[in-house]
Amino acid sequence: QVQLVESGGGSVQAGGSLTLSCAASGYGSVTYCMGWIRQAPGKEREGVALIDSGGTTRYADSVKGRFTISKDNAARTLYLQMNSLKPEDSAMYYCAAHWLCPATMTSYSSWGQGTQVTVSS
């Protein structure tokens, strides 16, 4: 079972930037697809971005051009660089992992506890 711990959330004004990190452990040499998912109160989960074991990335249309997902395999850390933040980006952000990249960008088997991002106008 993969263990995931997010950090880096916080409060920022619209137009600002934040970088989220996710430290992964417990998966040995197995490679995983990893992603970021967000959920705002009263809204459905939204797959924000994912990166497969080969480094190929995919983004939700709502964040394309503003968010960048990356990973450091040696450090076993996943990142989400968020620029030009908007109030509608406010949500709990979760790091997640699965053997294969889910088509829905939300169906993962391992999840972190989440980190809150709040963007004020």
Side-chain angles (χ1 to χ4, degrees), residues 70-82:
S70 63
K71 61 180 179 176
D72 182 333
N73 288 328
R76 296 194 172 186
T77 303
L78 180 72
Y79 302 98
L80 185 68
Q81 174 67 43
M82 305 185 293

Side-chain angles (χ1 to χ4, degrees), residues 77-97:
T77 303
L78 180 72
Y79 302 98
L80 185 68
Q81 174 67 43
M82 305 185 293
N83 298 326
S84 302
L85 283 161
K86 305 175 182 180
E88 51 264 43
D89 293 319
S90 297
M92 185 70 78
Y93 282 72
Y94 299 91
C95 170

Side-chain angles (χ1 to χ4, degrees), residues 5-10 19-23 36 77-78 93 95 113-115:
V5 179
E6 303 96 333
S7 61
T19 300
L20 305 183
S21 300
C22 173
W36 291 96
T77 303
L78 180 72
Y93 282 72
C95 170
Q113 83 288 350
T115 186

Side-chain angles (χ1 to χ4, degrees), residues 2 4 24-35 51-55 71 73-74 76 96-102 108-110:
V2 180
L4 303 167
S25 62
Y27 58 91
S29 62
V30 177
T31 57
Y32 280 81
C33 178
M34 298 187 72
I51 184 167
D52 69 14
S53 58
K71 61 180 179 176
N73 288 328
R76 296 194 172 186
H98 193 60
W99 287 93
L100 300 174
C101 288
Y108 294 87
S109 54
S110 299

